[in-house]
Coordinates of all heavy atoms in Angstrom, one line a residue:
M1 N -15.0 66.9 -54.0 CA -14.2 66.3 -52.9 C -12.8 67.0 -52.8 O -12.2 67.2 -53.8 CB -14.1 64.9 -53.1 CG -15.3 64.0 -52.6 SD -14.9 62.3 -52.6 CE -14.8 61.9 -54.2
P2 N -12.4 67.2 -51.6 CA -11.0 67.8 -51.5 C -10.0 66.7 -51.8 O -10.1 65.6 -51.7 CB -11.0 68.1 -50.0 CG -12.3 67.7 -49.4 CD -13.0 67.0 -50.4
L3 N -8.8 67.3 -52.2 CA -7.7 66.5 -52.5 C -6.7 66.4 -51.3 O -6.4 67.5 -50.7 CB -6.9 67.1 -53.7 CG -5.8 66.3 -54.3 CD1 -6.3 65.1 -54.9 CD2 -5.1 67.2 -55.3
Y4 N -6.4 65.2 -50.9 CA -5.5 65.1 -49.7 C -4.3 64.4 -50.0 O -4.2 63.7 -51.0 CB -6.2 64.3 -48.6 CG -7.5 65.0 -48.0 CD1 -8.8 64.6 -48.4 CD2 -7.3 66.0 -47.2 CE1 -9.9 65.2 -47.9 CE2 -8.4 66.7 -46.6 CZ -9.7 66.3 -47.0 OH -10.7 66.9 -46.5
E5 N -3.2 64.7 -49.3 CA -1.9 64.1 -49.6 C -1.7 63.0 -48.6 O -1.9 63.2 -47.3 CB -0.9 65.1 -49.4 CG 0.3 64.9 -50.2 CD 1.3 66.0 -50.3 OE1 1.0 67.1 -49.7 OE2 2.4 65.9 -50.9
Y6 N -1.2 61.8 -49.0 CA -0.9 60.7 -48.1 C 0.5 60.2 -48.4 O 1.2 60.4 -49.4 CB -1.9 59.6 -48.5 CG -3.3 59.9 -48.1 CD1 -4.1 60.6 -49.0 CD2 -3.8 59.7 -46.8 CE1 -5.4 60.9 -48.6 CE2 -5.1 60.0 -46.4 CZ -5.9 60.7 -47.4 OH -7.2 61.0 -47.0
F7 N 1.0 59.6 -47.3 CA 2.4 59.0 -47.3 C 2.4 57.6 -46.9 O 1.9 57.3 -45.8 CB 3.3 59.9 -46.5 CG 4.7 59.4 -46.4 CD1 5.6 59.6 -47.5 CD2 5.2 58.7 -45.3 CE1 6.9 59.2 -47.4 CE2 6.6 58.3 -45.3 CZ 7.4 58.5 -46.3
C8 N 3.0 56.7 -47.7 CA 3.1 55.3 -47.3 C 4.5 55.0 -46.8 O 5.5 55.3 -47.4 CB 2.9 54.4 -48.6 SG 3.2 52.6 -48.2
Q9 N 4.5 54.6 -45.5 CA 5.8 54.3 -44.9 C 6.5 53.1 -45.4 O 7.7 52.9 -45.2 CB 5.6 54.3 -43.4 CG 5.1 55.6 -42.8 CD 5.1 55.6 -41.2 OE1 4.9 54.5 -40.7 NE2 5.0 56.8 -40.7
R10 N 5.7 52.3 -46.0 CA 6.3 50.9 -46.5 C 7.2 51.2 -47.7 O 8.3 50.7 -47.7 CB 5.2 50.0 -46.8 CG 4.2 49.7 -45.6 CD 4.6 48.4 -44.8 NE 4.6 47.3 -45.6 CZ 3.6 46.5 -45.8 NH1 2.4 46.9 -45.3 NH2 3.7 45.4 -46.4
C11 N 6.7 51.9 -48.6 CA 7.5 52.1 -49.9 C 7.8 53.6 -50.0 O 8.4 54.1 -51.0 CB 6.7 51.7 -51.1 SG 5.1 52.6 -51.4
E12 N 7.6 54.4 -48.9 CA 8.0 55.8 -48.9 C 7.3 56.7 -50.1 O 8.0 57.5 -50.7 CB 9.5 56.0 -48.8 CG 9.9 55.4 -47.5 CD 11.4 55.7 -47.3 OE1 12.2 56.1 -48.3 OE2 11.9 55.7 -46.2
A13 N 6.2 56.2 -50.5 CA 5.5 56.9 -51.6 C 4.6 58.0 -51.1 O 3.9 57.8 -50.1 CB 4.8 55.9 -52.5
K14 N 4.7 59.1 -51.8 CA 3.7 60.2 -51.4 C 2.7 60.3 -52.7 O 3.1 60.3 -53.8 CB 4.5 61.5 -51.3 CG 4.0 62.4 -50.2 CD 5.0 63.6 -50.2 CE 4.7 64.4 -48.9 NZ 5.5 65.6 -48.9
F15 N 1.5 60.3 -52.3 CA 0.5 60.4 -53.3 C -0.8 61.2 -52.9 O -1.0 61.4 -51.7 CB 0.0 59.0 -53.8 CG -0.5 58.1 -52.6 CD1 -1.8 58.0 -52.4 CD2 0.4 57.5 -51.8 CE1 -2.3 57.2 -51.3 CE2 0.0 56.8 -50.6 CZ -1.4 56.6 -50.5
E16 N -1.6 61.6 -53.8 CA -2.7 62.4 -53.6 C -4.0 61.6 -53.9 O -4.0 60.8 -54.8 CB -2.7 63.7 -54.3 CG -1.6 64.6 -53.9 CD -1.5 65.8 -54.8 OE1 -1.8 65.7 -56.0 OE2 -1.0 66.8 -54.3
L17 N -5.0 61.9 -53.1 CA -6.2 61.2 -53.3 C -7.4 62.1 -53.0 O -7.4 62.9 -52.1 CB -6.3 60.0 -52.1 CG -6.9 58.7 -52.5 CD1 -6.2 58.1 -53.7 CD2 -6.7 57.8 -51.3
L18 N -8.5 61.9 -53.8 CA -9.7 62.7 -53.5 C -10.5 61.9 -52.6 O -10.8 60.8 -52.9 CB -10.5 62.9 -54.9 CG -9.9 63.9 -55.8 CD1 -10.6 63.9 -57.2 CD2 -10.2 65.4 -55.2
R19 N -11.0 62.5 -51.5 CA -11.7 61.9 -50.5 C -12.7 62.8 -49.9 O -12.5 64.0 -49.7 CB -10.8 61.2 -49.4 CG -9.8 60.3 -49.8 CD -9.1 59.6 -48.7 NE -9.9 58.4 -48.3 CZ -9.8 57.7 -47.1 NH1 -9.0 58.2 -46.1 NH2 -10.4 56.6 -46.9
P20 N -13.8 62.2 -49.4 CA -14.7 63.0 -48.6 C -14.0 63.5 -47.3 O -13.1 62.8 -46.7 CB -15.8 62.0 -48.2 CG -15.7 60.8 -49.1 CD -14.3 60.8 -49.4
M21 N -14.4 64.8 -47.0 CA -13.7 65.3 -45.8 C -13.8 64.5 -44.6 O -13.0 64.4 -43.8 CB -14.2 66.7 -45.6 CG -13.4 67.6 -44.7 SD -14.0 69.2 -44.6 CE -13.9 69.9 -46.2
S22 N -15.0 63.9 -44.5 CA -15.3 63.1 -43.3 C -14.4 61.8 -43.1 O -14.2 61.3 -42.1 CB -16.7 62.6 -43.2 OG -17.0 61.9 -44.4
R23 N -13.7 61.4 -44.3 CA -12.9 60.2 -44.2 C -11.4 60.6 -44.4 O -10.6 59.7 -44.6 CB -13.4 59.2 -45.3 CG -14.7 58.8 -45.1 CD -15.2 57.7 -46.1 NE -14.2 56.5 -46.1 CZ -14.1 55.8 -47.1 NH1 -14.8 55.9 -48.2 NH2 -13.3 54.7 -47.0
S24 N -11.1 61.8 -44.3 CA -9.7 62.2 -44.7 C -8.7 61.7 -43.7 O -7.5 61.5 -44.1 CB -9.7 63.8 -44.8 OG -9.9 64.3 -43.5
E25 N -9.0 61.4 -42.5 CA -8.1 61.0 -41.5 C -7.9 59.5 -41.5 O -7.0 59.0 -40.8 CB -8.6 61.5 -40.1 CG -8.8 63.0 -39.9 CD -7.4 63.7 -40.1 OE1 -6.4 63.2 -39.9 OE2 -7.5 64.9 -40.5
E26 N -8.7 58.8 -42.3 CA -8.6 57.3 -42.2 C -7.4 56.9 -43.1 O -7.1 57.4 -44.1 CB -9.8 56.7 -42.8 CG -11.1 56.9 -42.0 CD -12.3 56.3 -42.5 OE1 -12.2 55.5 -43.5 OE2 -13.5 56.7 -42.2
P27 N -6.7 55.8 -42.6 CA -5.6 55.3 -43.4 C -6.1 54.7 -44.8 O -7.2 54.3 -44.9 CB -5.1 54.2 -42.6 CG -5.6 54.4 -41.2 CD -6.9 55.2 -41.3
V28 N -5.3 54.9 -45.8 CA -5.6 54.4 -47.1 C -4.6 53.4 -47.7 O -3.6 53.2 -47.0 CB -5.7 55.7 -48.1 CG1 -6.8 56.6 -47.6 CG2 -4.4 56.4 -48.2
T29 N -4.9 52.9 -48.8 CA -4.0 52.0 -49.4 C -3.2 52.7 -50.5 O -3.8 53.4 -51.3 CB -4.8 50.8 -50.1 OG1 -5.5 50.1 -49.1 CG2 -3.8 49.8 -50.8
C30 N -1.9 52.6 -50.6 CA -1.1 53.3 -51.5 C -1.1 52.7 -52.8 O -1.7 51.6 -53.0 CB 0.4 53.4 -50.9 SG 1.4 52.0 -51.5
P31 N -0.6 53.4 -53.9 CA -0.7 52.9 -55.3 C 0.0 51.5 -55.5 O -0.3 50.8 -56.3 CB 0.0 54.0 -56.1 CG -0.2 55.2 -55.3 CD -0.1 54.7 -53.9
S32 N 0.9 51.2 -54.5 CA 1.6 49.9 -54.6 C 0.9 48.8 -53.9 O 1.3 47.6 -53.7 CB 3.0 50.0 -54.1 OG 3.7 51.0 -54.9
G33 N -0.2 49.2 -53.2 CA -1.0 48.2 -52.5 C -0.8 48.0 -51.0 O -1.3 47.1 -50.4
H34 N 0.1 48.8 -50.5 CA 0.3 48.7 -49.0 C -0.9 49.4 -48.3 O -1.2 50.5 -48.6 CB 1.7 49.5 -48.7 CG 2.8 48.9 -49.5 ND1 3.7 49.7 -50.2 CD2 3.3 47.6 -49.6 CE1 4.7 48.9 -50.7 NE2 4.3 47.7 -50.4
E35 N -1.3 48.8 -47.3 CA -2.3 49.4 -46.5 C -1.7 50.2 -45.3 O -0.5 50.1 -45.0 CB -3.2 48.3 -45.8 CG -4.0 47.6 -46.8 CD -4.9 46.5 -46.2 OE1 -4.8 46.4 -44.9 OE2 -5.6 45.8 -46.9
G36 N -2.5 51.2 -44.9 CA -2.0 52.0 -43.7 C -1.3 53.3 -44.0 O -0.6 53.9 -43.2
A37 N -1.4 53.7 -45.3 CA -0.8 55.0 -45.6 C -1.5 56.1 -44.9 O -2.7 56.1 -44.9 CB -0.8 55.3 -47.1
E38 N -0.8 57.0 -44.4 CA -1.5 58.0 -43.5 C -1.4 59.4 -44.2 O -0.5 59.7 -45.0 CB -0.8 58.1 -42.2 CG -1.1 56.8 -41.3 CD -0.5 56.9 -39.9 OE1 0.2 57.8 -39.6 OE2 -0.9 56.1 -39.2
R39 N -2.3 60.2 -43.8 CA -2.4 61.5 -44.3 C -1.3 62.3 -44.0 O -0.9 62.4 -42.8 CB -3.8 62.1 -43.9 CG -4.1 63.5 -44.6 CD -5.3 64.0 -44.1 NE -5.4 65.4 -44.5 CZ -6.1 66.3 -43.9 NH1 -6.9 66.0 -42.9 NH2 -6.1 67.7 -44.2
V40 N -0.8 63.2 -45.0 CA 0.1 64.1 -44.7 C -0.5 65.5 -44.6 O -1.3 65.9 -45.4 CB 1.2 64.2 -45.9 CG1 2.2 65.4 -45.6 CG2 1.9 62.9 -46.0
L41 N -0.2 66.2 -43.5 CA -0.7 67.5 -43.3 C 0.0 68.6 -44.1 O 1.3 68.7 -43.9 CB -0.8 68.0 -41.8 CG -1.6 67.1 -40.9 CD1 -1.5 67.4 -39.5 CD2 -3.1 67.2 -41.4
S42 N -0.6 69.2 -45.1 CA 0.1 70.2 -45.9 C 0.5 71.4 -45.0 O -0.1 71.6 -44.0 CB -0.8 70.6 -47.0 OG -1.4 69.5 -47.6
T43 N 1.4 72.1 -45.5 CA 1.8 73.3 -44.8 C 0.7 74.3 -44.7 O 0.0 74.6 -45.7 CB 3.0 74.0 -45.5 OG1 3.9 73.0 -45.9 CG2 3.7 75.0 -44.6
F44 N 0.4 74.7 -43.5 CA -0.7 75.7 -43.3 C -0.3 77.1 -43.8 O 0.8 77.6 -43.2 CB -1.1 75.6 -41.9 CG -1.8 74.4 -41.5 CD1 -1.3 73.5 -40.6 CD2 -3.1 74.2 -41.9 CE1 -1.9 72.4 -40.3 CE2 -3.9 73.1 -41.6 CZ -3.3 72.2 -40.7
S45 N -1.1 77.6 -44.6 CA -0.8 79.0 -45.0 C -1.8 80.0 -44.5 O -1.7 81.2 -44.6 CB -0.6 79.1 -46.6 OG -1.8 78.6 -47.1
S46 N -2.9 79.4 -44.0 CA -4.0 80.3 -43.6 C -3.9 80.8 -42.2 O -4.7 81.6 -41.7 CB -5.3 79.5 -43.7 OG -5.3 78.4 -43.0
F47 N -2.9 80.4 -41.5 CA -2.7 80.8 -40.1 C -1.9 82.1 -40.0 O -1.0 82.3 -40.8 CB -2.0 79.7 -39.3 CG -3.0 78.6 -38.8 CD1 -3.5 77.7 -39.6 CD2 -3.3 78.5 -37.5 CE1 -4.5 76.8 -39.2 CE2 -4.3 77.6 -37.0 CZ -4.8 76.7 -37.9
S48 N -2.2 82.8 -39.0 CA -1.4 84.1 -38.8 C 0.0 83.8 -38.4 O 0.2 82.8 -37.8 CB -2.1 85.0 -37.8 OG -1.2 85.3 -36.7
K49 N 0.9 84.6 -38.7 CA 2.3 84.3 -38.5 C 2.8 84.6 -37.0 O 3.8 84.4 -36.6 CB 3.2 85.2 -39.4 CG 3.0 84.8 -40.8 CD 4.1 85.4 -41.7 CE 4.2 84.7 -43.0 NZ 3.3 85.3 -44.1
G50 N 1.8 85.1 -36.2 CA 2.1 85.2 -34.8 C 1.9 86.7 -34.4 O 1.2 87.5 -35.0
A51 N 2.6 87.1 -33.2 CA 2.3 88.3 -32.6 C 2.9 89.5 -33.2 O 2.6 90.6 -32.8 CB 2.8 88.2 -31.2
D52 N 3.7 89.3 -34.3 CA 4.3 90.5 -34.9 C 3.4 91.2 -35.7 O 3.6 92.3 -36.1 CB 5.6 90.0 -35.7 CG 6.7 89.5 -34.9 OD1 6.9 90.1 -33.8 OD2 7.3 88.5 -35.3
G53 N 2.2 90.6 -36.1 CA 1.1 91.3 -36.8 C 1.4 91.5 -38.2 O 0.9 92.5 -38.9
L54 N 2.2 90.6 -38.9 CA 2.4 90.8 -40.4 C 1.1 90.3 -41.1 O 0.9 90.7 -42.1 CB 3.6 90.0 -40.7 CG 4.9 90.5 -40.3 CD1 6.1 89.6 -40.7 CD2 5.2 91.9 -40.8
S55 N 0.5 89.4 -40.5 CA -0.7 88.9 -41.1 C -1.9 89.5 -40.5 O -1.9 90.0 -39.3 CB -0.8 87.4 -40.9 OG 0.3 86.8 -41.2
T56 N -3.1 89.6 -41.1 CA -4.3 90.2 -40.5 C -4.8 89.2 -39.5 O -4.9 88.0 -39.8 CB -5.3 90.3 -41.7 OG1 -4.8 91.1 -42.7 CG2 -6.6 91.0 -41.1
P57 N -5.0 89.6 -38.3 CA -5.6 88.7 -37.3 C -7.0 88.2 -37.7 O -7.8 89.0 -38.2 CB -5.7 89.6 -36.1 CG -4.9 90.8 -36.3 CD -4.9 91.0 -37.9
V58 N -7.2 86.9 -37.6 CA -8.4 86.3 -37.9 C -9.4 86.4 -36.7 O -9.0 85.7 -35.7 CB -8.3 84.9 -38.5 CG1 -9.7 84.3 -38.7 CG2 -7.4 84.9 -39.7
G59 N -10.4 87.1 -36.8 CA -11.3 87.1 -35.6 C -10.8 88.0 -34.5 O -11.4 88.0 -33.4
G60 N -9.8 88.7 -34.8 CA -9.2 89.5 -33.7 C -9.6 91.0 -33.8 O -10.5 91.3 -34.6
S61 N -8.9 91.9 -33.2 CA -9.2 93.2 -33.2 C -8.7 93.9 -34.5 O -7.6 93.6 -34.9 CB -8.6 93.9 -32.0 OG -8.6 95.3 -32.2
P62 N -9.5 94.8 -35.1 CA -8.9 95.6 -36.2 C -8.0 96.7 -35.8 O -7.3 97.4 -36.6 CB -10.2 96.2 -36.8 CG -11.2 96.3 -35.7 CD -10.9 95.1 -34.7
C63 N -7.9 96.9 -34.5 CA -7.1 98.0 -34.0 C -5.6 97.4 -33.9 O -5.4 96.4 -33.3 CB -7.6 98.4 -32.6 SG -6.5 99.5 -31.8
T64 N -4.7 98.2 -34.4 CA -3.3 97.7 -34.4 C -2.6 98.0 -33.2 O -1.4 97.6 -32.9 CB -2.5 98.3 -35.6 OG1 -2.7 99.8 -35.5 CG2 -3.1 97.8 -36.9
S65 N -3.2 98.8 -32.2 CA -2.5 99.2 -31.1 C -2.9 98.5 -29.9 O -2.3 98.7 -28.7 CB -2.6 100.8 -30.8 OG -4.0 101.0 -30.6
C66 N -3.8 97.5 -30.0 CA -4.1 96.7 -28.9 C -4.4 95.3 -29.3 O -4.5 95.0 -30.5 CB -5.3 97.2 -28.1 SG -6.8 97.0 -28.9
A67 N -4.5 94.4 -28.4 CA -4.7 92.9 -28.8 C -6.1 92.5 -28.4 O -6.5 91.4 -28.8 CB -3.6 92.1 -28.1
S68 N -6.7 93.2 -27.6 CA -8.0 92.7 -27.0 C -9.2 93.2 -27.8 O -10.3 92.5 -27.7 CB -8.2 93.1 -25.5 OG -8.2 94.5 -25.4
G69 N -9.1 94.3 -28.4 CA -10.3 94.8 -29.1 C -11.2 95.7 -28.2 O -12.3 95.9 -28.6
T70 N -10.7 96.0 -27.1 CA -11.5 96.8 -26.1 C -10.9 98.1 -25.8 O -11.4 98.8 -24.8 CB -11.8 96.0 -24.9 OG1 -10.6 95.6 -24.3 CG2 -12.6 94.7 -25.1
C71 N -9.8 98.5 -26.4 CA -9.2 99.8 -26.0 C -9.9 100.9 -26.6 O -10.7 100.8 -27.5 CB -7.6 99.8 -26.5 SG -7.5 100.2 -28.2
S72 N -9.7 102.1 -26.1 CA -10.5 103.3 -26.5 C -10.3 103.7 -27.9 O -11.1 104.5 -28.5 CB -10.1 104.5 -25.6 OG -8.7 104.7 -25.7
T73 N -9.3 103.2 -28.6 CA -9.0 103.6 -30.0 C -9.5 102.6 -31.0 O -9.3 102.7 -32.2 CB -7.5 103.9 -30.3 OG1 -6.8 102.7 -30.0 CG2 -7.0 105.1 -29.5
C74 N -10.1 101.5 -30.5 CA -10.5 100.5 -31.4 C -11.7 100.9 -32.3 O -11.9 100.6 -33.4 CB -11.0 99.3 -30.7 SG -9.6 98.3 -30.1
N75 N -12.6 101.8 -31.7 CA -13.8 102.4 -32.4 C -14.7 101.2 -32.9 O -15.1 101.4 -34.0 CB -13.3 103.2 -33.5 CG -14.3 104.2 -34.0 OD1 -15.3 104.5 -33.2 ND2 -14.3 104.7 -35.2
L76 N -14.9 100.3 -32.1 CA -15.8 99.2 -32.5 C -17.2 99.6 -32.1 O -17.4 100.3 -31.1 CB -15.4 97.9 -31.8 CG -14.0 97.3 -32.3 CD1 -13.7 96.2 -31.3 CD2 -14.0 97.0 -33.7
A77 N -18.1 99.1 -32.9 CA -19.5 99.5 -32.6 C -20.0 98.7 -31.4 O -19.7 97.5 -31.3 CB -20.4 99.1 -33.9
Ligands
LIG101 ZN1 3.4 51.7 -50.3

């Protein structure tokens, strides 16, 4: 089971919980017994940094000189 991070607004506690992925968005009870603690979205590191191309485009063109994957230098099969 994945580990998710939750935040309780009542006592401002941050805690982690192992939950099934299908229930990750549901509110949980914090260690102090408050209901309604909500999931905290961790910082995404898997996303590309943008158009500057410092990261490898996911599902994009391997060609560095175009963005569409259809230019004459892409050399795609
Ligand atoms: Zn709490």
Side-chain angles (χ1 to χ4, degrees):
M1 275 196 290
L3 187 66
Y4 294 104
E5 204 171 2
Y6 294 87
F7 178 75
C8 174
Q9 295 185 339
R10 303 269 298 274
C11 64
E12 299 189 338
K14 221 175 190 182
F15 56 99
E16 293 175 330
L17 216 58
L18 283 169
R19 301 193 90 197
M21 197 177 294
S22 58
R23 296 182 60 198
S24 65
E25 302 294 338
E26 293 179 16
V28 297
T29 303
C30 88
S32 302
H34 305 129
E35 291 180 3
E38 292 185 347
R39 184 181 164 203
V40 178
L41 294 176
S42 316
T43 317
F44 287 106
S45 56
S46 56
F47 278 69
S48 123
K49 291 195 168 90
D52 291 321
L54 291 177
S55 314
T56 306
V58 178
S61 165
C63 174
T64 54
S65 62
C66 76
S68 65
T70 55
C71 78
S72 59
T73 57
C74 282
N75 198 25
L76 294 173

